[in-house]
Amino acid sequence: MNRPGLISSPGSHENQPKTTIADCSLAPSATSILCAIGAKHSLVGVTKWCTDVAPVGKLPKLGDCWHGGSVGEILRLKPTLVVGSVPYKQETVGKLLEQPFPFLAMNPRTLADIETDIRLLGGIAQRADAAEALVKKMRCAFAQIEIKTRRCKTRVCVYCEAWPNPRISSPPWVAELVSICGGEMVVPAGEKSPMRRYRRPAPT
């Protein structure tokens, strides 16, 4: 899975006729985006991890795209859409695809992909204008950080890990953020080789 798939956005204008939306989010990133664009009301269930990134309150807490034990709970919530993101386990995705609800699988690789995901969720939730505003806010914040880091004479060496066993470094969008903050990834994004194979780069 490379880009969001399995469903498409219903449109990009908020003045469309309103439809009932009931989302189950199996990804903290999707939950955070929906809350940030003012679409929290569309959520009927989230993962237990979402409480760390978004004000989900007492919404039912479910599993994620790795642990597939919540399919029955998801069905009882009668969602019109289930949203997931990496990491995926093949067996869990298989169970989700067997169900009657649409499943949106996201796998952003770059910051541009994340912007696309924000716009996609904004279209689905009929909050396209708010989604575009969020993208602009992010770009502005990153630009301000980048201006500050240009004053630094040396770049900080950073190790970011997406998975411990086998050891996998974080994806390209993390490397982009590290670069914006004035850092340099010790291990290339998505690299599966052991950490010990890499030496600290010389300061530039």
Side-chain angles (χ1 to χ4, degrees):
M1 300 178 186
N2 293 319
R3 292 299 310 121
L6 305 186
I7 73 162
S8 59
S9 168
S12 58
H13 300 288
E14 295 184 2
N15 58 0
Q16 290 182 330
K18 299 296 182 180
T19 57
T20 301
I21 301 171
D23 296 329
C24 271
S25 173
L26 305 184
S29 56
T31 302
S32 181
I33 290 169
L34 288 168
C35 289
I37 64 175
K40 177 184 173 182
H41 63 276
S42 71
L43 290 166
V44 295
V46 297
T47 77
K48 63 180 181 179
W49 314 110
C50 293
T51 57
D52 294 331
V53 299
V56 294
K58 296 182 179 180
L59 284 170
K61 306 303 186 294
L62 310 166
D64 50 38
C65 293
W66 191 260
H67 304 94
S70 296
V71 173
E73 296 175 60
I74 294 172
L75 285 170
R76 284 192 288 273
L77 294 173
K78 298 180 180 180
T80 57
L81 173 67
V82 174
V83 183
S85 189
V86 288
Y88 294 106
K89 180 180 282 188
Q90 184 175 353
E91 294 84 353
T92 301
V93 173
K95 290 180 182 179
L96 292 170
L97 293 176
E98 291 173 356
Q99 308 309 317
F101 48 71
F103 175 57
L104 172 60
M106 301 194 303
N107 182 16
R109 300 295 297 166
T110 66
L111 289 180
D113 291 342
I114 293 175
E115 292 181 358
T116 298
D117 290 345
I118 293 172
R119 293 187 176 102
L120 176 61
L121 291 175
I124 292 170
Q126 298 175 341
R127 297 284 299 170
D129 290 348
E132 195 62 40
L134 178 59
V135 169
K136 292 179 180 178
K137 181 180 179 181
M138 285 175 49
R139 288 183 178 180
C140 181
F142 292 157
Q144 291 176 349
I145 294 172
E146 199 164 20
I147 290 171
K148 291 180 180 180
T149 59
R150 288 175 188 167
R151 304 170 189 165
C152 300
K153 296 181 179 180
T154 59
R155 297 181 71 81
V156 178
C157 294
V158 182
Y159 174 67
C160 299
E161 186 175 276
W163 203 255
N165 187 22
R167 192 183 299 279
I168 303 174
S169 63
S170 296
W173 65 265
V174 177
E176 290 182 70
L177 289 179
V178 169
S179 179
I180 288 171
C181 294
E184 182 175 350
M185 293 281 279
V186 175
V187 181
E191 177 62 57
K192 296 183 180 180
S193 298
M195 179 73 174
R196 63 178 178 270
R197 289 183 55 188
Y198 295 87
R199 294 181 179 179
R200 179 184 176 93
T204 57

